[in-house]
Amino acid sequence: MTGRRKWLVITGVLAIGVASTLLSAYAGNYQVAAVAAGTTETATQKANREAVGKAKPGPWGYSGASGYTNYLGEGTGRSPAQPVKFPHPVHVNTLQMNCVFCHSSAFKSPDPGLPAVASCMGCHTITAIDRPEVKKVAEAFNKKLPIAWVRVHKVPEYVRFPHVRHIYAGVTCQTCHGQVQNMEQVFQYASLNMGWCVSCHVNGYSRAEGMRAAGYEPDSAALTDERQGVRKVASYDCANCHY
Amino acid sequence: MATIAYEPKRPNIASANVQLPAVRDYEQVDDEIVATLRPSKAWFLMLMTAIACLGLGVSAFLYQLHQGLGVAGYNPPVMWGVYIVTFVFWIGIGHAGTLISAILFLFRAGFRTTIYRCAEAMTVFAVMTAGLFPIIHLGRPWKFFWLLPYPNWRLLWPQFKSPLVWDVFAISTYLTISTTFLFVGLIPDIAVLRDRETNPTRKRILSFLSFGWRNTEREWRHFARAYLFLAAVSTPLVLSVHSVVSFDFAMAITPGWHTTIFPPYFVAGAIFSGIGMVFTIIIPIRKWFRLQHYVTLNHLDAAAKLCLTTSLIVGCAYMVEFFIAWYGGVQVEQDFFWNRVFGQWWWAAWIMLTCNMILPLSLFSQKLRRNPTWLWILSIFINIGMWFERFVIVVPSLSHEFEPWQWTTYAPTWVDYSILLGSFGWFFMWFLLFVRQLPIIAIAEVKEIVAPRLKRAHAHTPDNADDYEPETPGAHN
Amino acid sequence: MRGVLGHFRELDSAVDAITELKAARLGDVTVFTPTPRHEFEVAVAPPRSPVRMYMLFGGLAGCLFGYWMAIWASAYWPLVVGGKAIASWIPYTIFGFEVFVLVGGLSTVAGLFIHARIPRLTMMVGYDPRFSRGDYGIWVECAPDRIASAEALLRKNGAVEVRGER
Amino acid sequence: MTKPVETANGVKRRDFLKVLGVTGAATAMVGCSTDQVEKLIPYVTSPDHTVPGVSNYYATTCRECAAGCGIIVETRDGRALKAEGNPDHPVNRGAICARGQAALQGLYNPDRFRGPMLRQNGQLVPISWEEAIDALHKGVDTAMKSGKARHAVFINQHEQGLLHSFLDEWLAYRDMPPHISYDAEAPFATIVANRAVYGVSWPRLDFGAAKLIVSFAADFLDGWGLPVPQQLDFAEARGKIEGAPRLIYIGPRRPLTGLNADQWIAAKPGTAGAIARMLAGKMTAAAAAAATDVPVATLAALKKEVAAAKPSLLIAGGSGPKALDLATEVNTLNKSLGNVGVTVKPAEAYGAWEGVVPPAVLNDVVAAMEASDVPALFVRGANPVYSTPVGLGFAAAAAKVPFKVSFSTVPDETTALCDLILPDHHALESWGIAEPVKGTLGLQQPTMDPVFNTRATADVLLASLRPLPCFSCPVDPAEDKQHAADIAKFPPDYRGVVASHIGGNSKLQHALPKGLLAGSLPGRVVPVAKIMKPAIVGEATGDYYLATYANLLMGDGRGANKPWLQELPDPVTKICWQTVVEMHPETAKKLGVERGDHVTVKTVAGSITAPAFLYIGVRPDTVAVMVGRGQTASGRYATGTGHNAWSLLPASNDAAGGYQLVGVRCTVAKAAGHSMIVTTEGSGRQHGRGIARASTLEELLTGEEHKPHAFPGQASTAFLPGLRAPVAGDAQGEFSDPTSAQKGEYDPKHPSGRAKRRWAMTIDLAKCTGCSACVTACYAENNIPTVGAEWQGPILYPDRKFPGANITRSREMAWLRLERYYEIDREYKDMAWNPEHHPEVRVIPMLCQHCGNAPCEPVCPVYATYHAPDGLNVQVYNRCVGTRYCSNNCPYKVRYFNWFGYGEPDRAQYAFPEPLNWQLNPDVTVRAKGIMEKCSFCVQRIRDAETLAKVQNREIEADEFTTACAQACPSRAIVFGDAADEHWSVTKLIEDRRAYHVFEELNTFTAVVYLKKINHPAPAGVTA
């Protein structure tokens, strides 16, 4: 080995080490490419954003197409099969149902809540009663059995995440959960790791970005805010979430 | 050089002028030191004992890891106990090596030459042992890496104002630098071993470890420079490491900890305990390996003087602590010191005072300084005393703080003791492996003080041949 | 590379040979010695070792990095502890110092390695295992036409063995 | 409330609720568990008015003692989480004691009966309710047919309400005599004397109106009478500072009331009556002194003082042989001193003891049972096998009863004897009604669905009347018809009983939110105990007097299986998980006994061997033992913990029919063995450190405040600033520069606005009695594990295999502790008995002081503890690596470490065995092993208040919420709030002239400010 090659190898290994440390450290912290205030979204950014919304889970339950799959196992893209194949797109996009129609306590409780089986039966005693998945629901209801959904988004037990505070702050659901309205099967959209949470708390939340993340165009007030660089900053005190 | 022996039987040798009269030439050095590397049955037995102790410690630690720290004898608010005591103890031990190899090198103290390798290896292994304890003592040891500054997705960094983070830096720097120092010094010696080795596999390994050292004058020149500067930079490092460790205590407001005297007091104590451990190790080694003509009584005498000096400093520090507690007039502090010496913890305090302050006074006698048996016995007392010094600092302070309602006592359990024993197993395992694999005495440096072969002049005669001790084996001519 | 290796038993003969070789300007002289001796340093009169510069610059860089790291990380997520300043430079001196020693020490060793040209994988040309034991060696790297005079010079100064090598 | 949904595959509603508590799944924090498959299970049908993750509050009545305090139970996702005082309730006015808090641990007690059980071949086996009711039916039938039904016995734990008349009606229908409303804790002599002198069983005692309070062995702050209202009134009176009453306590042992007293007169056991007679002028001071062994000068001074102080309040307690004489004499004295109507208010009587039956009635019962006359024994709630004097021989007699039924919710010594167990609902699952104060009804409603397969006793009794699918009854249509007509007189269920009493369902629904309405309960004629055994004192049988007593926590033994109450140190001795023999150090010296050495106490009735405890608050001729521990079959926490002091008591009553607890003669002898004392006390004196400070009114008024603790060379003890600043002591660098733009969240202008606040607390030591209710409130709110159970101790220490093993290693986890200091200058063991002088006692609640310059913060290597912008000293559990350095550097020693996995269900040390874990607060992380925890100033409540304010688009209002300890405090000594906002009451209290910080010389700038205790020395004219 010549001297030059030796030093090349040494520095190369060091550089790879540093790069992979940084990558593993910060992957998942920033997933929605922040669009600087006052500038418009580039075509790539737009394509990425839309790809995220339309992504489907991959063959191993991981969404390769989400664009943000973290290969270090932080759970992004995780998409467990659910006992009932509930089609969010049909309910949200086609039927224009709001998220809080079913997840009704999201704006009054730390806990977003899941619809009671009876809520499903409010409509499904009349509509689509012959679909196999709806039949499952009806059967559960008749047997007075709850449906055991598999949890997709979860923060650890030592984290308090009050949904109500975020809803009142104007954060769109899709900011954290992704465009569930376009997901045939819900997958974990964001890494939900601490850096990801904190980035938004520190750098602030732009309503326009949130609306774009939700898949619709920002309203004029949001656009004005964005032009003026208004971002909603939150507390990043540790005891905000950990107690 | 003039002979400065006033009396042949009771020589008083300047520390800088310690010679090796019984070592005649370079070949003898090579042969005698390489000869120490043969494993023996006794060595295996000792190694197995060390590994068994280590095994016990490891099992106790695993048990503690599973059950929780509660299996150790903690008695809040005594939240630190045997582990931190042992940590400081080993860190202290780890001070002698670099002191001897670096500081005494800068001071040109000749008696360091034959003992420094041993002391330096001891340092590295002691710091390796010490470094385990802050992790063992953690409530969640698997999270220890949170103390290291590395980029992470929590976007959080260590708290750099904490003395524990200072510790992390001080100890890891110290371990790195002392390991480097040891290894750099070993390179020429490994080259010697390489050139003497006949087994091709071992030769290959040694070749690799010697980095292709060729003994050229160029190599020696840069080596000397690097060695000098490493020594120069290690000198403040040695002083800083135990100062930083003492900050763990001095930065706290706990009575008995909150004193400005701690850094010098700890450094002196560390050197004292380190020399003690050097005696504990080198005296059997010189006997078993028949190296009495390398580590001569003059060497031991000189080291014992250093030991005595540090003992006096430590004793003075104890007295100053008591004086300041009284003179400072802070009642909490006064209560605490009374309780330490005459109250609840009198036994620990008196073990400390006896072993560290009173017994070493015997070293004022040159007869005892030159008595290896006494030095060895004393060194055991010093080891015990220095362990208890740390115990006396850590435990009584915590058990007798500001809040009388929370005064308690402390009793370690078998888990504490097993892990303490395991630490000795760990240390001696490494040390035993070292003594049989690598030269315990620096070959190249010994050669430096041995007279070279000359064509014109007569062979160099030692100046102080009279100081040669009759207990040395081998011919004396 | 080609030259002559002289093998000496005594220190003063080797020193004499070096002095003469240098005067004769036969070629580059490499001295092998089992232990560093001042006599060689005088005879070879090499330039000052630059290793100390590694210590200086490595140490300075480390010191700065130590301070910077502590200050930057504290200010990155400012949390007040015990009413102390966020960037408390006084305690951060410890980081300045420790990283100074760490980087300085390691760069010194790097300097040693670079200047002593180790690790060396091919080393056995012009080397003899006896040089690590008790004997001295002089390797004169010279043009083929000067080999004979070099050999003569070495022998004259008391070399017990002289051999040409390439 | 919804009915539980039982499902085919075993998913019960309470199971899925476990995972529905999404925001705060109460599992231990063991790390990020995103990889685990976790199920989210919704309701099948949403219950009305229930939002997942949002608490509902139900007003109900506490049944832990007879007082009938109003409580509000917080429930979330169908589970009761916390009991808090009902602020509108006339008895407890929002406060709640430790025992009331621990009702939840009765509700979720892991040892509760899961359903009805029948004894077959000596073993209790589970049966179905149909079988159980059938068995009851048959048993009652047999009893009736035996012709002895009029001797049947129904012992019910005394409680106010309609159950009295309901039971009596039911029993009458079955030809059985009225039931016995039993309460071993009832101060019967006082009740009888009150009825005789004041005409009500329990008048309101208005401490605030009195200038002098003299308690004759009435421990009114700790378990005697109605602890909460008494404590509220007393603390309020003491909190007045100017015009606050002086308190004198008379009795052989110094209980909590004695510790709070300005003077303790240590009269011989059972002789306080002599002092009362002396005060009444029926006895000379010298004679009284001879009888009581108190210096004459003390008594003369007392007489002068009582005569001078108008109005005064004399309270008679006592359970000696002549307790009734004492109580009558004292009540008469009150009358003659003109205190009735002024400090004693019969017009505002409490209903607590209406209908309670004297324990002496049991003498008849035992005699009848011994004679095999009793065909059936029914027990509900009470535990007469345990909580009766061993001399009565209840257990042996009860064994002769052929049919024994228990309606108790938890196993105890009595159920261990019973043949049929028909577990009632816990009080928090039940309907009921009480008349806590004359003219006001307190409602009791279920706060959650029953935890187990239990049924209300009234419903069971009703069901047993109905023609069931009765397998064995003879079928006779005529009889059936008659039967149906008879039972039609009874309402369909007990809820119906309650509803019909107050006028129908709609009225009930209307009244439930407040839990209160006007009305009254039917009176009940108390059966008179016919046989009264003469009080025996056993003069000849020993050299010492025995004084047994019950404290509020264990009571007569009913608190013993609740780990919160076992773990909470007794407010006086500070002992938990253990029964000790309290003796004066001089006595111990005489016996050659040291602290912890075993001693055998022997009376005519029995003996116990327990460790000796040196207590300077007990006369040298007396030893004291607490009752309430030492059960043999009362569940995992109680069984084998401590010793049973009931087993020392002979069957001896006073003239009123109450038990004689004090004054039995005993011998005390050293026994083999030594035990560690399970106590949380380190050193019981302050060593001059100025932790709990006191002053006198005179010093306050003259400005010559007592400054006993001068720290040489230290900063002045003047009130330091810092507290007012949002971030105290942020003294250096960028962040202290007011013009700096880089303060981050510490800038008051930061959008989060956190830095505008400084949460702080004041604790008024003049009010604090040391009752420790705040401690239990803290346990309940913050998921603090109890660590004292035997199996939680260090597993492999051969010397620590006993309950409280962890506590002998000071590993209790109480974030808030009550320190009790004697103002003495030497160790207890060196204290001599001096009847003239008894040391002053100070108590101080010690919790995290949330220092502005917290010493714990800068030593943490990972920012697990730091100073939040709103002034909190935060502990981030999930960041903690467990170096424990913070605790070392905390001068207040208020940080607690998780030595074991107390919060991890799969460990031996798990502190919340199912279903105790249902109580865990979902807003607070359950800490894993290896991390530090401490008081958080109830940060979850702060965050909740902030969220609420945000959602309602407003600012947090002053005094809008408070911490759990402040909320519970029956002395109202703790006030919490924002010290940076002048509208909060805490801000004014901080300015009080009595305010001080503990260890202010350490410049910690604490956020907890104490207000000095005020001592009330005897007025100048009367000093002896």
Side-chain angles (χ1 to χ4, degrees), chain B residues 68-130:
Chain B
L69 266 187
V71 295
Y74 292 107
N75 200 340
V78 182
M79 293 277 190
W80 285 0
V82 166
Y83 301 146
I84 293 293
V85 171
T86 314
F87 159 68
V88 184
F89 171 75
W90 281 115
I91 284 283
I93 301 282
H95 272 62
T98 314
L99 170 99
I100 291 170
S101 56
I103 301 185
L104 297 187
F105 177 76
L106 294 184
F107 281 100
R108 302 283 187 266
F111 74 93
R112 73 174 272 282
T113 310
T114 52
I115 56 172
Y116 96 86
R117 170 68 47 74
C118 174
E120 216 169 68
M122 184 190 84
T123 289
V124 170
F125 301 138
V127 175
M128 275 164 63
T129 314

Side-chain angles (χ1 to χ4, degrees), chain D residues 329-570:
Chain D
E329 193 69 64
V330 167
N331 287 1
T332 318
L333 254 174
N334 266 333
K335 216 168 195 175
S336 60
L337 288 169
N339 295 335
V340 178
V342 183
T343 58
V344 180
K345 294 179 169 166
E348 298 172 37
Y350 292 116
W353 303 114
E354 292 301 333
V356 67
V357 164
V361 168
L362 291 187
N363 299 339
D364 299 345
V365 169
V366 169
M369 291 195 299
E370 278 289 349
S372 297
D373 277 347
V374 177
L377 170 68
F378 305 90
V379 183
R380 179 179 171 275
N383 183 9
V385 173
Y386 171 81
S387 63
T388 51
V390 71
L392 193 60
F394 191 92
K400 299 190 176 168
V401 179
F403 184 55
K404 302 179 285 290
V405 184
S406 173
F407 298 95
S408 295
T409 60
V410 282
D412 56 29
E413 286 70 20
T414 309
T415 62
L417 220 65
C418 287
D419 311 305
L420 181 61
I421 315 287
L422 304 166
D424 196 353
H425 294 322
H426 186 267
L428 295 179
E429 302 161 335
S430 309
W431 288 99
I433 195 162
E435 190 185 355
V437 175
K438 224 177 211 173
T440 305
L441 291 178
L443 290 173
Q444 182 189 357
Q445 63 169 320
T447 57
M448 67 181 285
D449 283 351
V451 178
F452 294 119
N453 185 16
T454 54
R455 282 199 192 177
T457 298
D459 293 350
V460 172
L461 295 177
L462 285 171
S464 78
L465 297 177
R466 299 220 155 79
L468 284 164
C470 183
F471 311 116
S472 50
C473 318
V475 182
D476 175 357
E479 196 178 313
D480 253 18
K481 206 173 171 195
Q482 175 58 37
H483 192 78
D486 283 342
I487 64 172
K489 289 189 292 190
F490 289 96
D493 60 6
Y494 191 64
R495 183 185 187 278
V497 176
V498 174
S500 68
H501 179 77
I502 62 170
N505 248 332
S506 63
K507 225 167 167 191
L508 179 68
Q509 287 299 345
H510 191 71
L512 278 177
K514 272 213 153 175
L516 290 166
L517 73 165
S520 59
L521 292 176
R524 178 168 189 255
V525 181
V526 179
V528 179
K530 281 180 192 145
I531 301 176
M532 293 286 193
K533 286 194 184 172
I536 53 161
V537 182
E539 288 290 347
T541 55
D543 323 323
Y544 292 95
Y545 293 103
L546 174 68
T548 56
Y549 64 95
N551 73 358
L552 178 70
L553 309 176
M554 292 299 114
D556 57 358
R558 63 182 81 169
N561 202 33
K562 297 172 181 168
W564 285 345
L565 298 182
Q566 283 281 12
E567 184 111 335
L568 182 59
D570 176 84

Side-chain angles (χ1 to χ4, degrees), chain B residues 10 44 104-105 137 195 198 303 342 351 361 373 420:
Chain B
R10 305 280 301 273
F44 264 116
L104 297 187
F105 177 76
H137 111 115
D195 292 346
T198 47
F342 302 110
I351 290 177
L361 292 180
T373 317
L420 172 60

Side-chain angles (χ1 to χ4, degrees), chain B residues 171-309:
Chain B
I171 291 164
S172 54
T173 302
Y174 188 52
L175 181 62
T176 315
I177 293 297
S178 53
T179 313
T180 310
F181 205 34
L182 172 69
F183 192 73
V184 166
L186 267 171
I187 290 175
D189 288 3
I190 296 174
V192 172
L193 297 186
R194 173 197 68 200
D195 292 346
R196 300 290 90 74
E197 187 58 62
T198 47
N199 178 324
T201 319
R202 288 176 62 94
K203 196 176 180 92
R204 187 167 282 269
I205 295 169
L206 290 168
S207 301
F208 181 77
L209 287 177
S210 66
F211 288 157
W213 182 267
R214 299 198 306 166
N215 292 303
T216 65
E217 189 276 336
R218 178 196 185 88
E219 283 167 354
W220 283 118
R221 177 157 44 94
H222 295 299
F223 180 86
R225 265 349 242 184
Y227 201 82
L228 177 68
F229 277 94
L230 271 180
V233 88
S234 301
T235 300
L237 181 66
V238 177
L239 302 182
S240 84
V241 171
H242 225 56
S243 300
V244 168
V245 170
S246 81
F247 289 162
D248 284 356
F249 305 105
M251 292 290 156
I253 58 173
T254 310
W257 286 9
H258 190 59
T259 28
T260 45
I261 198 181
F262 263 26
Y265 163 29
F266 266 56
V267 170
I271 293 168
F272 178 58
S273 70
I275 308 253
M277 193 54 122
V278 167
F279 281 141
T280 310
I281 287 173
I282 202 91
I283 290 173
I285 281 182
R286 77 193 270 276
K287 189 169 164 63
W288 292 339
F289 291 170
R290 306 175 78 77
L291 293 173
Q292 284 100 327
H293 53 307
Y294 287 92
V295 186
T296 66
L297 289 187
N298 288 340
H299 287 85
L300 295 182
D301 190 350
K305 284 181 199 160
L306 184 60
C307 182
L308 176 61
T309 313

Side-chain angles (χ1 to χ4, degrees), chain C residues 97-121:
Chain C
F97 173 74
E98 298 293 346
V99 184
F100 154 71
V101 171
L102 184 67
V103 180
L106 292 180
S107 40
T108 309
V109 175
L112 162 66
F113 278 27
I114 290 165
H115 289 280
R117 302 199 179 135
I118 53 174
R120 178 186 289 271
L121 299 180

